[in-house]
Amino acid sequence: AQTVTQSQPEMSVQEAETVTLSCTYDTSESDYYLFWYKQPPSRQMILVIRQEAYKQQNATENRFSVNFQKAAKSFSLKISDSQLGDAAMYFCAYRAFNSGGGADGLTFGKGTHLIIQP
Amino acid sequence: KAGVTQTPRYLIKTRGQQVTLSCSPISGHRSVSWYQQTPGQGLQFLFEYFSETQRNKGNFPGRFSGRQFSNSRSEMNVSTLELGDSALYLCASSLGTGDYGYTFGSGTRLTVV
């Protein structure tokens, strides 16, 4: 079974600084997707960034970028120029393609609580 | 356009009762997935429906069931509620069952007493 591990239960960063959240995963599949989701106190899960495993280039979305190391099964999220609105729980998630042509459900890590210090 | 709508937002039920939660996906989205979020177990996949058919199922007991209607709206049912079923239940919709990104709703907070 696939597992996703986030080893940092909580991280704190000063506003405008850069922070990196760690994620490792375990899978025997070669074709899959990786995601970072953000969950603010409003409870709604918001997609931050996604990475297709077959793409070697790291995904980037404005201030958010990933460091995808497929061989090491590592998928870290870097947030540049941290803002107060970035404070939230961040979840790393994995999704594999299945034999039916679709994809499995998301497997989530336990999350990292990100605190932004003003 | 309207997002994913889950109703009700909060619910309190007694152990042994059953409950039905509702999810209306984004217009045009045909896939609806359900997740359970608890402090202990984190986020766990329940099931996914596409075109009124269950396509994927997580590792949950048969007390948890769902269905999808022709308009893509979905309901999730939990029978014989247990205290451990207290959780935030999140619904997510997407265009299809492949690599499309999910859009999540704000969830239904179920408390079993």
Side-chain angles (χ1 to χ4, degrees):
Chain A
Q2 296 87 5
T3 57
V4 177
T5 302
Q6 293 179 249
S7 59
Q8 306 152 316
E10 187 172 280
M11 292 282 285
S12 182
V13 64
Q14 291 290 130
E15 195 175 2
E17 297 290 304
T18 295
V19 64
T20 299
L21 308 184
S22 302
C23 172
T24 58
Y25 59 95
D26 185 25
T27 183
S28 57
E29 304 290 337
S30 60
D31 220 359
Y32 50 87
Y33 288 90
L34 295 164
F35 305 85
W36 279 97
Y37 280 91
K38 166 186 176 181
Q39 187 178 39
S42 66
R43 308 182 326 199
Q44 185 176 11
M45 299 285 284
I46 300 165
L47 178 64
V48 174
I49 199 166
R50 80 174 201 178
Q51 174 81 43
E52 291 89 339
Y54 66 87
K55 289 186 177 179
Q56 292 188 338
Q57 186 172 4
N58 290 323
T60 298
E61 289 286 343
N62 300 314
R63 298 182 294 107
F64 299 87
S65 61
V66 298
N67 183 4
F68 174 47
Q69 302 289 327
K70 190 173 183 179
K73 296 179 182 175
S74 170
F75 183 61
S76 60
L77 174 70
K78 186 172 83 171
I79 306 174
S80 303
D81 185 25
S82 298
Q83 300 175 0
L84 294 177
D86 295 334
M89 283 293 291
Y90 285 80
F91 292 94
C92 179
Y94 163 98
R95 191 178 195 198
F97 288 105
N98 59 37
S99 58
D104 295 337
L106 287 166
T107 299
F108 285 91
K110 293 293 188 184
T112 296
H113 182 209
L114 179 63
I115 299 168
I116 310 295
Q117 305 276 8
Chain B
K1 59 183 177 182
V4 178
T5 303
Q6 291 189 246
T7 56
R9 290 267 291 173
Y10 300 91
L11 203 51
I12 300 175
K13 288 287 189 179
T14 302
R15 193 170 42 182
Q17 288 186 314
Q18 75 165 12
V19 67
T20 299
L21 312 182
S22 180
C23 173
S24 293
I26 289 174
S27 178
H29 283 194
R30 297 170 63 195
S31 172
V32 173
S33 299
W34 290 88
Y35 289 81
Q36 181 196 65
Q37 186 175 21
T38 60
Q41 298 298 317
L43 283 147
Q44 295 183 283
F45 171 68
L46 280 155
F47 27 65
E48 178 178 17
Y49 285 86
F50 178 77
S51 294
E52 301 177 65
T53 302
Q54 187 179 91
R55 295 302 180 100
N56 284 304
K57 188 177 189 304
N59 189 25
F60 277 81
R63 301 186 297 107
F64 292 81
S65 63
R67 59 178 176 170
Q68 186 181 34
F69 301 95
S70 58
N71 62 357
S72 294
R73 189 178 71 85
S74 177
E75 287 181 348
M76 191 193 95
N77 184 274
V78 187
S79 62
T80 319
L81 283 165
E82 301 176 0
L83 296 179
D85 297 332
S86 295
L88 178 66
Y89 290 88
L90 292 164
C91 167
S93 76
S94 63
L95 283 169
T97 61
D99 66 335
Y100 304 101
Y102 279 147
T103 300
F104 280 85
S106 295
T108 293
R109 172 78 67 186
L110 172 65
T111 302
V112 182
V113 297

